[in-house]
Amino acid sequence: MSCVIFGAGKIARGFVGHLLFLSKIDFIFVEKVDALADLINERGQYTVNILGDSSKNTLVTGAKALKFSEGDKIADAIAEADCIFDAVGGKNLGEIVPFLISGIEKRAKVNPKPLNIVTCENWKLPADILRRGIEEGICEDARAFFEANVGITEAVIMRSAIESTPDMLAKDPLVVNAQDFWEFPYDASRLKAPMPEGMMCQKPIYEFTGFLERKFYTYNAANGTTSFVGALLGYKYIADAAHDERILRLLDGVYNETATALSKKHNFPFDEQWAFTRTSLRKLQDRNIVDYIERNARDPMRKLGKDDRLVGSARLCLEYGVKPESLATAIACAMHYEEPSDEFAVALKAMRENEGYDAILEKVCSLDPNGELGMLVKEKIAQIKEWGWLK
């Protein structure tokens, strides 16, 4: 049994690859960055440290990787694979579509076995993005095989993988520090073949509607709130910020707003969704997870996008009759994020200083500055100034 993992980043190595290794299932990474692929092939192993429980630390051996330049080998691997996993990051999904097309076209000729592609992304509708891309590009000879035999489904990744210290990286440049979370929930209704036999921690869900969106607009909205407000209040670590009473009050509002909207949209009990928010808060406050504000706030212009964690959550709330007061406050804080080492934060600051808030709302958030949400965010900017949160 063998699997292909697109991406070789922290989630690919520290969760998907980790689970497959522990399940004694062979796998190979497909990685865009040549230097990372070379390092994996050169070392052939890496360490996964489980935060808070070193007894679960694992040395993953037999690691190997293909580069994007090795298209024929990638197609061969897909043609023979028992399952494909994707952990490239949502904004990079389009880059792997041509490889998937080539592999499926080859598989249609040499291997009649059905195949699943499982997205492991913190992104909205990643399976739909891949399916549309493949449908648009696949040759007619392989189209019937694709439609009948290739399932594209989504998993929800609940484990966090954290930046390693320089000392750790000196010993193992591929080391991953990962949260002690093991469930692998996925949408079982879209499968066209069994998942890899013996893969541990599987949690098939047949009524998956809203599960990924629920996670994104709960966990990611809370993480964005903690990160951007924490940065404004001078915190370095997520867990420290998540214990600040000011941030906790705001988080309570964010959780209430998103829980109400999600419960209305997907018709599940509010109490059930509220309990889910508590798992998010526990994760944010877990000091075993030494995670930096800067890492989580990185690329603020993307994270202020109209469908992303804060603006997307606020828009969802408005759609279901919930006024996103707390989310608007978090957006106001995010618009003031500053980090000299982050080119996108530098660009955001320049836009704020040279063009003003309306430009950010319109160009970054895709909002009408004079619309309901745009006006609410501007009210909250005035409010955080009154609170003394802006220096």
Side-chain angles (χ1 to χ4, degrees):
M1 182 165 290
S2 65
C3 296
V4 174
I5 305 173
F6 276 90
K10 291 190 291 295
I11 292 299
R13 299 199 310 276
F15 190 52
V16 185
H18 188 206
L19 291 186
L20 291 175
F21 175 77
L22 292 174
S23 305
K24 297 182 170 52
I25 297 171
D26 190 33
F27 64 91
I28 188 166
F29 296 111
V30 176
E31 172 54 39
K32 177 182 178 180
V33 179
D34 286 355
L36 178 53
D38 287 338
L39 190 59
I40 290 169
N41 290 324
E42 175 189 327
R43 296 182 66 86
Q45 62 183 33
Y46 62 89
T47 304
V48 178
N49 294 324
I50 299 299
L51 299 167
D53 191 347
S54 59
S55 69
K56 298 177 182 175
N57 292 356
T58 305
L59 180 65
V60 176
T61 58
K64 49 191 180 295
L66 294 171
K67 303 175 186 178
F68 273 24
S69 59
E70 299 177 287
D72 290 342
K73 291 182 179 180
I74 295 170
D76 289 342
I78 292 172
E80 298 300 328
D82 292 282
C83 191
I84 310 295
F85 296 92
D86 140 59
V88 297
K91 64 182 179 180
N92 303 311
L93 285 166
E95 296 184 27
I96 70 171
V97 167
F99 298 109
L100 294 172
I101 290 173
S102 297
I104 292 166
E105 289 176 345
K106 180 154 194 175
R107 190 182 185 96
K109 296 176 181 177
V110 303
N111 183 359
K113 289 171 58 178
L115 175 70
N116 295 318
I117 301 170
V118 184
T119 65
C120 305
E121 301 292 357
N122 214 346
W123 204 254
K124 192 175 182 181
L125 303 177
D128 291 354
I129 293 171
L130 291 184
R131 178 164 290 282
R132 284 196 302 270
I134 295 170
E135 286 174 344
E136 289 171 5
I138 199 159
C139 71
E140 288 305 315
D141 290 346
R143 186 173 299 277
F145 175 84
F146 168 65
E147 291 174 351
N149 295 288
V150 179
I152 306 179
T153 193
E154 297 168 349
V156 176
I157 304 304
M158 309 291 282
R159 174 185 282 188
S160 292
I162 311 304
E163 305 281 1
S164 300
T165 65
D167 288 345
M168 289 179 177
L169 291 170
K171 294 176 183 176
D172 180 356
L174 295 171
V175 65
V176 182
N177 296 327
Q179 182 192 13
D180 190 6
F181 191 93
W182 297 84
E183 281 189 357
F184 188 77
Y186 58 86
D187 183 354
S189 69
R190 301 195 208 184
L191 300 181
K192 291 291 179 69
M195 288 288 281
E197 185 177 354
M199 182 177 173
M200 63 187 293
C201 303
Q202 293 188 54
K203 186 179 179 181
I205 298 174
Y206 288 89
E207 294 188 9
F208 195 80
T209 304
F211 196 90
L212 186 59
E213 187 172 62
R214 179 182 180 187
K215 187 263 182 179
F216 188 80
Y217 288 136
T218 301
Y219 274 64
N220 289 39
N223 180 282
T225 299
T226 307
S227 302
F228 290 117
V229 181
L232 212 57
L233 297 180
Y235 284 100
K236 182 178 181 180
Y237 298 106
I238 286 285
D240 290 341
H243 281 87
D244 185 295
E245 288 299 325
R246 295 165 294 181
I247 294 175
L248 280 172
R249 283 193 295 272
L250 194 59
L251 275 174
D252 204 48
V254 166
Y255 284 134
N256 187 68
E257 290 163 9
T258 57
T260 303
L262 287 164
S263 297
K264 288 183 176 182
K265 180 174 181 179
H266 296 293
N267 298 310
F268 47 68
F270 177 86
D271 289 349
E272 179 186 314
Q273 175 61 21
W274 187 252
F276 188 64
T277 71
R278 300 302 89 185
T279 67
S280 165
L281 182 59
R282 284 195 295 274
K283 180 178 178 180
L284 288 170
Q285 291 186 320
D286 186 351
R287 287 198 163 99
N288 287 314
I289 305 175
V290 182
D291 200 4
Y292 294 90
I293 293 280
E294 183 278 326
R295 185 186 81 85
N296 288 273
R298 197 175 297 160
D299 195 356
M301 296 181 82
R302 174 174 67 82
K303 291 171 182 173
L304 278 167
K306 73 170 187 174
D307 292 319
D308 216 287
R309 60 211 67 203
L310 298 178
V311 177
S313 297
R315 290 173 62 243
L316 176 72
C317 288
L318 285 175
E319 184 180 350
Y320 286 90
V322 179
K323 191 173 183 180
E325 299 268 5
S326 299
L327 283 161
T329 304
I331 294 167
C333 292
M335 289 169 66
H336 290 86
Y337 179 65
E338 295 187 12
E339 172 52 55
S341 67
D342 182 342
E343 61 177 307
F344 301 103
V346 172
L348 181 67
K349 180 181 179 182
M351 184 180 291
R352 186 178 68 245
E353 292 180 345
N354 297 328
E355 301 179 58
Y357 296 122
D358 282 5
I360 296 175
L361 289 168
E362 186 172 6
K363 296 178 182 179
V364 178
C365 307
S366 299
L367 295 174
D368 178 356
N370 297 311
E372 184 177 3
L373 183 53
M375 294 300 292
L376 183 59
V377 170
K378 287 189 280 189
E379 286 177 25
K380 299 304 180 182
I381 291 171
Q383 191 171 67
I384 62 175
K385 286 179 177 177
E386 289 177 13
W387 292 346
W389 286 13
L390 296 178
K391 301 294 185 288

